[in-house]
Amino acid sequence: MGCDGGTIPKRHELVKGPKKVEKVDKNAELAAKWKYCALSQEKLRRPIVSCDMGRLYNKDAIIEYLLDKTAERPNTEAVTHIRGIKDIKELNLTDNPEWEGERRTTKGDRYEDIHCGMFICPVVGLEMNGKHRFCYLQTCGCVFSDRALKEVKTEICHKCGDAFKYEDLIVLNGTKEEVEKLREKMGERRTKAKTKKSKKSKAAEVVSTPSESKDDTHSPQVDVTGSSLQNGDESSQSDVAGPSGSSSSSKGAKSLTSAATKRSVQEMTEKSEVFKSLFTTHSSAKRTKAQTSNWVTHTPYHF
């Protein structure tokens, strides 16, 4: 079969060599990461969220996954680290004015640029299509290019004005090394959150269930000898001097101490007479019966 008619076969037609490894098209790989949801494989549409690993998702796809994790879905390995709605952040993206999207009818008579991104950097204007490194802030969710953050070094967000730290930056669709670093940061952040919660729970238990021994040892003792003698309350001093273990006696002691420590302004020797005259307890503010006038209504009726 073949080799008739003067045809000359070539070597690759006669000798079977090793199969070539199929390479993934870079343009198709970038489009799959930056234009499609990492979970549902549908086109990205607002609202768009991202996780601590820097992957892009549609928010409704993540909510459906969290509501029913038992359902069979493709690419569930990409969202195993998402435990709840707090593990994702809604992104504040800037639309690309050159992106026409689904409004354009493709008839084959126009050139379609597959590298055109749906969003751009609000500072530099670079398209978010995978050719440039982009990152977002965990504090506000604003997205910027890495070039913008390097050229304009600041600790305030360029878009919303919120303060941030460089530890809050998360790279979107980073390399394997960057993803591993983000995974380590995520683990450290979660361990810190667990320790804070455990400390708060222990402190709440200590406050809610105080021991009786502490109440007995640290009973309130009040010494109000000087203040009681000035106000002439000898009976209050005898009631407060002894320690009390019950809650009712402690409340009574607190009220007596507050009443005993109060001093009249007119009895303060260190205050001047002019200062004392500002208060109604001064003798100048008191009127005699002759100085006081009778009360008269606004519209008196005499019958």
Side-chain angles (χ1 to χ4, degrees), residues 186-199:
M186 180 181 64
E188 293 176 358
R189 197 182 303 113
R190 289 183 178 181
T191 52
K192 288 181 181 179
K194 286 182 180 179
T195 53
K196 286 182 180 180
K197 286 182 180 179
S198 61
K199 288 180 181 179

Side-chain angles (χ1 to χ4, degrees), residues 32-162:
K33 286 183 177 180
W34 295 91
K35 293 184 180 181
Y36 293 88
C37 175
L39 176 60
S40 63
Q41 297 299 316
E42 297 178 355
K43 286 187 177 180
L44 289 173
R45 58 182 181 275
R46 292 179 182 271
I48 299 172
V49 297
S50 180
C51 60
D52 295 335
M53 310 294 290
R55 299 183 182 124
L56 299 175
Y57 311 93
N58 288 327
K59 191 173 183 180
D60 55 354
I62 294 295
I63 292 174
E64 289 177 3
Y65 165 74
L66 294 174
L67 292 175
D68 187 12
K69 294 184 179 181
T70 59
E72 295 183 359
R73 293 185 180 88
N75 302 324
T76 54
E77 297 177 356
V79 291
T80 52
H81 60 282
I82 298 177
R83 303 169 300 178
I85 200 71
K86 293 183 179 180
D87 293 337
I88 59 175
K89 183 68 177 180
E90 186 173 347
L91 301 181
N92 187 8
L93 297 162
T94 305
D95 293 327
N96 186 5
E98 296 182 0
W99 171 257
E100 297 181 2
E102 298 179 354
R103 297 174 296 175
R104 166 181 171 178
T105 58
T106 307
K107 298 180 180 179
D109 56 347
R110 295 179 61 183
Y111 171 72
E112 184 178 0
D113 188 6
I114 61 175
H115 300 293
C116 184
M118 295 184 292
F119 309 103
I120 60 172
C121 174
V123 181
V124 185
L126 295 175
E127 293 183 357
M128 198 173 75
N129 53 9
K131 291 186 177 181
H132 307 282
R133 193 165 177 262
F134 273 73
C135 53
Y136 78 94
L137 301 176
Q138 278 188 325
T139 54
C140 57
C142 296
V143 181
F144 301 98
S145 63
D146 190 35
R147 187 186 297 180
L149 295 173
K150 287 181 179 179
E151 291 181 358
V152 186
K153 294 183 179 180
T154 180
E155 295 182 354
I156 299 175
C157 179
H158 300 295
K159 193 170 185 180
C160 61
D162 292 343

Side-chain angles (χ1 to χ4, degrees), residues 222-224 227 240 252-262:
V222 183
D223 186 11
V224 288
S227 60
V240 179
K254 289 180 181 179
S255 61
L256 288 173
T257 52
S258 61
T261 52
K262 289 181 181 179

